[in-house]
Amino acid sequence: MTIDHPYDIDGSGRTATTGPDDHVRDMIEQLLLTSPGERVMRPDFGAGLLQLVFEPGGPEAAATTQYLVQSALERHLGQVLTADRVEVEALDSTLLITVSYVVLRTRTREVATFRTPDGRP
């Protein structure tokens, strides 16, 4: 068991934990929503999706985002998972990212969908 992300308290008042496959999903979410330069000692970590919410949309933006996500997953989480497919959909000021992947440790196939926070003030 590992500490759940985002940090939470469970029903017994202790630090919430999660299983190994959920932990991998949490790692993907962290990577997608972290901006490069945000982490101390790891300035290249992150996909920077939160900044893309404010960029013009369209098929070009979706293709660029798909490339950013795929390369970030391979670079930073390649020792943990194999990303089979990444799909990106722009909905107003929100990006919807669906990642199909295999957890290398357990050989489990997973699909996870992530949504960037709404960019409206």
Side-chain angles (χ1 to χ4, degrees):
M1 290 297 205
T2 58
I3 295 176
D4 198 13
H5 174 80
Y7 184 81
D8 198 12
I9 304 296
D10 67 13
S12 65
R14 296 177 180 222
T15 299
T17 58
T18 189
D21 290 345
D22 278 343
H23 180 66
V24 172
R25 186 203 180 285
D26 293 345
M27 290 169 53
I28 295 170
E29 184 175 23
Q30 260 185 322
L31 176 65
L32 297 181
L33 299 180
T34 299
S35 297
E38 192 174 320
R39 286 246 178 129
V40 176
M41 304 299 287
R42 293 206 54 201
D44 63 333
F45 182 84
L49 295 185
L50 294 179
Q51 289 124 347
L52 296 176
V53 171
F54 300 103
E55 297 297 323
E60 297 84 8
T64 300
T65 304
Q66 185 175 353
Y67 172 77
L68 285 173
V69 170
Q70 186 79 36
S71 61
L73 289 169
E74 289 172 9
R75 181 174 187 185
H76 298 289
L77 297 178
Q79 73 281 6
V80 177
L81 61 87
T82 300
D84 291 335
R85 191 177 78 243
V86 175
E87 295 176 2
V88 177
E89 184 180 356
L91 304 169
D92 295 324
S93 58
T94 303
L95 292 174
L96 191 64
I97 300 100
T98 302
V99 180
S100 300
Y101 61 97
V102 176
V103 179
L104 295 178
R105 190 171 129 306
T106 61
R107 299 283 183 222
T108 319
R109 187 168 299 280
E110 302 284 339
V111 176
T113 300
F114 305 92
R115 180 183 298 269
T116 59
D118 193 326
R120 288 178 264 174

